[in-house]
Amino acid sequence: MAGYTELIKNFEKIRSFTRDFFIYGFKGRGDFDGLSPRTYDNERRRIESYLSELIVKTHDSKGKSISISSNTIAKTSNPLFKVWQTKSFTKKDCFLHFVILDIFSKHTSLSVREVAEIISDDYTTAFSASEPMDTMTIRNKLKEYTQLGILEGKKSSKTLHYSLPPNPLHRLSPKTSESLNMALSYYKNILPGGFMGHSINNEQDSPFIYKQIYFSQTLDDEIVLKLLEAIEMKRMVTLTMIPAKGDRNRKNPCVPIQILSNTKSGRRYAAIYHENSRKFSTVRIDYIKDVDFGEICPEFDNLFRDYQLRMKHSFSITPQTKEKLHNLTVRLQIDEATEQYVLERIRREGQHGTLTKIEDNIFEYSIGIPDSLEMVPWLRTFIGRILQIEGSEAHILSQFKRDIHAMLAMYED
């Protein structure tokens, strides 16, 4: 039986568990259907090992539950970057990684045969390797590092020679290097692929703090980068979606168009075009399990232009699918003398809507949109100022009003 190890082969497994503990929190063994107690315990132990300083444990009638808690204002670097440092490797992988870099720090250009000879003569015996390193394994490792950009290969006659590429950072002045590190310490926490920036200057504390930062986004960065690559190459993809309870993994062939990010909730979405139904839609990126690249989409540019036109009247993420827009009108009471910031916020966040003064301290905001439902979270932030709300999607407004009455009833009790 294989022993427990903190390292993993499949990042999706640790991604899923970390999200459950970080976002939903306070989950125990009984909350994970379909998992054996041993599997749950192994994943829990891994997470506790990676993020020990962030683990919160509670005990109740259900037993022990854990969650991950982090003060985003106090943190200058994303603690969840640690989960990207957990990939398992073989003994040969570890051995060759350090040996190859050491060899090329002393030699400018070598062939596979020359590298194999140096390893055999100078390293295998010294490190008491259990078995000789075969040339094919070394060749594959050199090819892998060339694809990753760690090495570069050039043909001389019929033989491929490898070498370390020059480090462009060595040519920078100290002032430029310091400025780049400053920029890196900021952008690694807010852009996709921040772990790469963290890997470059992980010993340097960031001088920045953030009002709104979403550490859990790094769990989806691999998916985001694949989607961005597909968009850049104008390729079709097949999305493997995280299954709902009892469902199998769902495959979704589509053309990715754009990445959308909600700065208030931290959720990120992929705008996609379905080839089968010939419709645009959005999917949450944290619901995507994997991305497989397909063929080049010859209609990508036309689809992108069509999508931009359909988003012209969108309030958030919903593209226009019908010729007629839904109208929405909200009348608000705002003190002009003391609450100018509220008016500025509506003008700034209200997209293409219009704000009109009706009388002193009474304003009317009106907008035409494809879907009134996506405005509800924004409208909730004005509860207490709303005097009247009307629109063409009566069922959504009725639900909005019922929610307010239900909330008031809770306070009245």
Side-chain angles (χ1 to χ4, degrees), residues 283-338:
V283 294
R284 279 177 52 173
I285 288 176
D286 57 332
Y287 288 174
I288 301 175
K289 190 174 183 179
D290 198 9
V291 179
D292 293 317
F293 294 107
E295 299 177 351
I296 298 291
C297 176
E299 294 297 316
F300 182 88
D301 291 337
N302 292 333
L303 291 174
F304 184 80
R305 283 192 291 269
D306 187 15
Y307 174 76
Q308 294 295 320
L309 289 173
R310 292 172 181 270
M311 290 295 288
K312 186 177 179 180
H313 297 288
S314 175
F315 188 81
S316 181
I317 63 171
T318 305
Q320 184 176 348
T321 57
K322 298 180 181 179
E323 184 176 346
K324 187 177 180 181
L325 294 170
H326 298 289
N327 61 73
L328 179 71
T329 302
V330 185
R331 186 163 291 193
L332 305 108
Q333 182 171 350
I334 302 171
D335 191 323
E336 296 176 72
T338 61

Side-chain angles (χ1 to χ4, degrees), residues 88-341:
S88 62
F89 49 84
T90 66
K91 188 191 300 183
K92 286 184 178 181
D93 285 332
C94 187
F95 175 79
L96 284 176
H97 175 77
F98 292 101
V99 165
I100 287 174
L101 293 181
D102 187 55
I103 289 173
F104 282 105
S105 68
K106 303 170 185 175
H107 300 80
T108 57
S109 180
L110 295 170
S111 66
V112 174
R113 181 181 58 80
E114 290 169 333
V115 173
E117 289 177 356
I118 294 173
I119 291 176
S120 177
D121 295 341
D122 300 342
Y123 292 90
T124 304
T125 304
F127 284 96
S128 302
S130 58
E131 58 184 29
M133 199 68 63
D134 63 274
T135 303
M136 184 56 68
T137 300
I138 297 171
R139 185 188 303 277
N140 290 337
K141 182 60 67 173
L142 293 174
K143 181 180 179 181
E144 176 189 347
Y145 278 21
T146 302
Q147 292 172 341
L148 291 172
I150 299 173
L151 299 175
E152 59 182 14
K154 292 183 180 179
K155 271 198 172 183
S156 177
S157 296
K158 295 182 179 180
T159 304
L160 187 61
H161 285 75
Y162 296 90
S163 61
L164 280 174
N167 189 339
L169 297 179
H170 292 166
R171 300 195 298 267
L172 300 177
S173 67
K175 183 177 180 180
T176 302
S177 181
E178 182 182 353
S179 298
L180 285 175
N181 273 323
M182 179 68 73
L184 197 61
S185 65
Y186 174 73
Y187 286 109
K188 70 181 181 181
N189 283 332
I190 63 171
L191 288 183
F195 175 67
M196 293 183 285
H198 170 74
S199 300
I200 295 172
N201 70 341
N202 59 359
E203 295 180 358
Q204 180 176 331
D205 286 335
S206 172
F208 301 100
I209 58 174
Y210 306 85
K211 180 181 178 181
Q212 288 177 313
I213 187 170
Y214 303 99
F215 287 153
S216 61
Q217 287 184 346
T218 191
L219 301 174
D220 307 317
D221 275 353
E222 185 177 21
I223 301 297
V224 171
L225 292 176
K226 285 183 177 181
L227 289 171
L228 290 173
E229 185 179 359
I231 292 171
E232 182 182 22
M233 296 189 299
K234 304 178 181 180
R235 301 185 78 94
M236 297 182 62
V237 299
T238 298
L239 305 180
T240 302
M241 308 301 295
I242 294 174
K245 286 187 177 181
D247 294 338
R248 294 184 177 181
N249 290 333
R250 181 164 53 88
K251 303 289 185 178
N252 190 355
C254 61
V255 181
I257 302 295
Q258 198 171 46
I259 303 297
L260 307 171
S261 181
N262 188 319
T263 56
K264 291 292 180 64
S265 68
R267 289 177 178 170
R268 292 185 291 185
Y269 302 83
I272 60 176
Y273 177 77
H274 299 270
E275 282 284 335
N276 295 336
S277 62
R278 306 188 70 80
K279 291 181 180 180
F280 292 98
S281 70
T282 55
V283 294
R284 279 177 52 173
I285 288 176
D286 57 332
Y287 288 174
I288 301 175
K289 190 174 183 179
D290 198 9
V291 179
D292 293 317
F293 294 107
E295 299 177 351
I296 298 291
C297 176
E299 294 297 316
F300 182 88
D301 291 337
N302 292 333
L303 291 174
F304 184 80
R305 283 192 291 269
D306 187 15
Y307 174 76
Q308 294 295 320
L309 289 173
R310 292 172 181 270
M311 290 295 288
K312 186 177 179 180
H313 297 288
S314 175
F315 188 81
S316 181
I317 63 171
T318 305
Q320 184 176 348
T321 57
K322 298 180 181 179
E323 184 176 346
K324 187 177 180 181
L325 294 170
H326 298 289
N327 61 73
L328 179 71
T329 302
V330 185
R331 186 163 291 193
L332 305 108
Q333 182 171 350
I334 302 171
D335 191 323
E336 296 176 72
T338 61
E339 297 181 324
Q340 279 294 321
Y341 66 93

Side-chain angles (χ1 to χ4, degrees), residues 373-387:
L373 184 61
E374 65 179 357
M375 287 200 64
V376 169
W378 189 70
L379 293 175
R380 284 179 184 148
T381 64
F382 296 100
I383 290 177
R385 305 180 190 278
I386 297 176
L387 301 175

